[in-house]
Amino acid sequence: SAVISQKPSRDICQRGTSLTIQCQVDSQVTMMFWYRQQPGQSLTLIATANQGSEATYESGFVIDKFPISRPNLTFSTLTVSNMSPEDSSIYLCSVGTVTYNEQFFGPGTRLTVL
Amino acid sequence: AQSVTQPDIHITVSEGASLELRCNYSYGATPYLFWYVQSPGQGLQLLLKYFSGDTLVQGIKGFEAEFKRSQSSFNLRKPSVHWSDAAEYFCAVNQAGTALIFGKGTTLSVSS
């Protein structure tokens, strides 16, 4: 299995500001994903973070709002830009390998926007 | 469209009683199937997975799930529930190399 850390674990931010969330994995992984879990809801895929190229976004999510970087096979960042209270959620990083087709999840970043 | 349906939003079970959580999927091909658990304030933990072979799979914490292709179902079961099993349970599907698609989840409460 992979050990995933996320920073920060939680934050309270003001409307209109941006927050960058970091995801670090203890081994090289093929796939990295970012999910959002709104209060009391299930997980929704935001995007697939591609190493060395632009992320692939799901319907309803755009790069200007959620820019993603993935400079190597063990690290990725998700930025939540120009935040509003509707962005208050848990943001989870997930990693997987094609070989084993298992996805492991980080502990999440709990974001509150005031 | 690919989707996962968990028909039960909230289930309450007495401690020691058996449990079955339902999951149905709609997918173009036979997907890989997963059950995750999320305890309050905790991250997601994989309970079990089905890729192929024996349709009854065993997982951690005494859970098992049965894949039924004819019913497009992958129901989770446990013969005797413990109070510590109270949590949110998510069914998920994917194909190799793709992201997971999650159901809306079932909240399990355990009464004494």
Side-chain angles (χ1 to χ4, degrees), chain B residues 12-35:
Chain B
T12 299
V13 177
S14 299
E15 190 169 16
S18 63
L19 168 71
E20 182 170 28
L21 301 181
R22 296 182 291 167
C23 173
N24 294 94
Y25 65 89
S26 174
Y27 212 84
T30 301
Y32 300 137
L33 299 151
F34 305 82
W35 276 98

Side-chain angles (χ1 to χ4, degrees), chain A residues 24-102:
Chain A
Q24 180 74 54
V25 191
D26 67 342
S27 58
Q28 293 187 344
V29 291
T30 309
M31 303 179 292
M32 294 184 81
F33 307 100
W34 287 98
Y35 289 82
R36 180 177 73 182
Q37 186 176 25
Q38 294 177 300
Q41 303 296 314
S42 184
L43 285 80
T44 301
L45 180 66
I46 297 172
T48 301
N50 301 308
Q51 194 260 329
S53 64
E54 195 171 282
T56 304
Y57 290 85
E58 297 299 302
S59 175
F61 298 96
V62 295
I63 187 172
D64 290 345
K65 176 68 176 178
F66 297 101
I68 289 170
S69 77
R70 188 178 175 191
N72 55 52
L73 292 176
T74 64
F75 185 79
S76 177
T77 67
L78 167 74
T79 299
V80 186
S81 303
N82 189 25
M83 290 184 285
S84 66
E86 291 71 36
D87 294 318
S88 296
S89 297
I90 299 173
Y91 292 85
L92 297 108
C93 171
S94 175
V95 304
T97 66
V98 175
T99 304
Y100 296 105
N101 196 40
E102 282 193 38

